[in-house]
Amino acid sequence: MTPEILISEVGPRDGLQNCKSIMATKDKIAWIEAEVRAGVREIEVGSFVPAKLLPQLADTADLVRHARTIEGLTVAVLVPNLHGVKAAVEAGAHKMSLPLSVSETHSLKNLRRSHQQVLAEIGEIQAFLADIPADRRPHFEVSLSTVFGCTMEGVVPESKILSLTEKLVDLDIKDIGLSDTTGYANPAQVKRMIRAVRSVAGADRVTGIHLHNTRGLGIANALAAYEEGITTFDASLGGLGGCPFAPGASGNIVTEDLAFMFEAMGVNTGINVAELIKVREILARALPDETLYGFTPDAGLPKGFDCVAA
Ligand code: ZN
């Protein structure tokens, strides 16, 4: 039975980049391997940003090279620019994701670049990728970040979001993701935004969403996205990387809770939830100072619960 949806584990990137402690490469490898054994098929293992900015992710190239040897795993990374794309291609990543912040203030603060500059860079990336033989060319996604609101600009006008989407379509970006960077989204807005972006880009290009659980609406937002036909969901084991500005809130949506929701609904994720919960032991040992979140792991699986594919 083929899984209907893809849960993409982003803990080794989004989770760890928000952690104070640095996780040893060997522990990251044990974590990645254990998740694959539990049925996870895609993992964002790191980010090709300068090591001095994010020392937690300085081993990304090594992780990509190792993860590539794991059968059945799609190895994903975040790339901030062409330089990162070149490093990702050299290491052998299968999938790369570049954030385009729809809030220009956020874009200038985070990447120190205007929309025009980021779009120009995306054009250069497309040209670079076009020269790579198709069978070795990684999949390239541009993720519209702060699409549900920005801590600096507040709600970004939909017209702005749609004109950026149009430019991505013009640049022949085949995969456009939606990202709730700030944890501002609500389920009604998630549905509206998916429809709006698809009205410009077409449904085929808009299949993935990246959600945070900052205000406790992460799982509700994921369900809303699923009902709109979204098939790829980012999540982080143990909701790692809780936001320092929202005490008690996990970072990304919790992979264990998300997998449990879908499996309990009869939606095949390919993941064995009981096995997935056990992977937390690796995190707890390697990062003793970090809080691990998740309702399902705390409460335990319901009596008689079985995964769809079990
Ligand atoms: Zn994130």
PDB file of all heavy atoms in Angstrom, residues 13-14 210 212 252, ligand 1:
ATOM      1  N   ARG A  13      17.253  20.143  10.826  1.00  0.00           N
ATOM      2  CA  ARG A  13      17.555  21.494  10.332  1.00  0.00           C
ATOM      3  C   ARG A  13      16.798  22.543  11.160  1.00  0.00           C
ATOM      4  O   ARG A  13      17.377  23.252  11.970  1.00  0.00           O
ATOM      5  CB  ARG A  13      17.180  21.597   8.834  1.00  0.00           C
ATOM      6  CG  ARG A  13      17.806  22.780   8.118  1.00  0.00           C
ATOM      7  CD  ARG A  13      17.050  24.083   8.273  1.00  0.00           C
ATOM      8  NE  ARG A  13      15.663  23.999   7.801  1.00  0.00           N
ATOM      9  CZ  ARG A  13      14.773  24.949   8.026  1.00  0.00           C
ATOM     10  NH1 ARG A  13      15.098  26.028   8.698  1.00  0.00           N
ATOM     11  NH2 ARG A  13      13.528  24.803   7.603  1.00  0.00           N
ATOM     12  N   ASP A  14      15.499  22.602  11.014  1.00  0.00           N
ATOM     13  CA  ASP A  14      14.724  23.665  11.669  1.00  0.00           C
ATOM     14  C   ASP A  14      14.749  23.517  13.188  1.00  0.00           C
ATOM     15  O   ASP A  14      14.834  24.500  13.924  1.00  0.00           O
ATOM     16  CB  ASP A  14      13.272  23.624  11.169  1.00  0.00           C
ATOM     17  CG  ASP A  14      12.590  24.976  11.272  1.00  0.00           C
ATOM     18  OD1 ASP A  14      13.106  25.853  11.980  1.00  0.00           O
ATOM     19  OD2 ASP A  14      11.529  25.154  10.653  1.00  0.00           O
ATOM     20  N   HIS A 210       4.800  24.069   5.406  1.00  0.00           N
ATOM     21  CA  HIS A 210       5.713  24.056   6.559  1.00  0.00           C
ATOM     22  C   HIS A 210       5.044  24.841   7.680  1.00  0.00           C
ATOM     23  O   HIS A 210       4.813  26.031   7.550  1.00  0.00           O
ATOM     24  CB  HIS A 210       7.028  24.721   6.113  1.00  0.00           C
ATOM     25  CG  HIS A 210       8.059  24.852   7.188  1.00  0.00           C
ATOM     26  ND1 HIS A 210       9.072  23.938   7.360  1.00  0.00           N
ATOM     27  CD2 HIS A 210       8.250  25.797   8.141  1.00  0.00           C
ATOM     28  CE1 HIS A 210       9.842  24.321   8.373  1.00  0.00           C
ATOM     29  NE2 HIS A 210       9.371  25.447   8.861  1.00  0.00           N
ATOM     30  N   HIS A 212       4.393  25.789  11.918  1.00  0.00           N
ATOM     31  CA  HIS A 212       4.911  25.840  13.283  1.00  0.00           C
ATOM     32  C   HIS A 212       3.730  25.761  14.258  1.00  0.00           C
ATOM     33  O   HIS A 212       2.594  26.068  13.896  1.00  0.00           O
ATOM     34  CB  HIS A 212       5.717  27.123  13.502  1.00  0.00           C
ATOM     35  CG  HIS A 212       7.102  27.048  12.938  1.00  0.00           C
ATOM     36  ND1 HIS A 212       8.224  27.214  13.688  1.00  0.00           N
ATOM     37  CD2 HIS A 212       7.535  26.805  11.677  1.00  0.00           C
ATOM     38  CE1 HIS A 212       9.294  27.081  12.935  1.00  0.00           C
ATOM     39  NE2 HIS A 212       8.911  26.836  11.693  1.00  0.00           N
ATOM     40  N   ASN A 252       8.378  23.413  15.276  1.00  0.00           N
ATOM     41  CA  ASN A 252       7.546  22.888  14.196  1.00  0.00           C
ATOM     42  C   ASN A 252       6.432  22.029  14.788  1.00  0.00           C
ATOM     43  O   ASN A 252       6.463  21.698  15.959  1.00  0.00           O
ATOM     44  CB  ASN A 252       8.393  22.009  13.270  1.00  0.00           C
ATOM     45  CG  ASN A 252       9.425  22.818  12.521  1.00  0.00           C
ATOM     46  OD1 ASN A 252      10.586  22.800  12.873  1.00  0.00           O
ATOM     47  ND2 ASN A 252       8.981  23.538  11.524  1.00  0.00           N
TER      48      ASN A 252
HETATM   49 ZN    ZN B   1      10.404  26.688  10.234  1.00  0.00          ZN
END
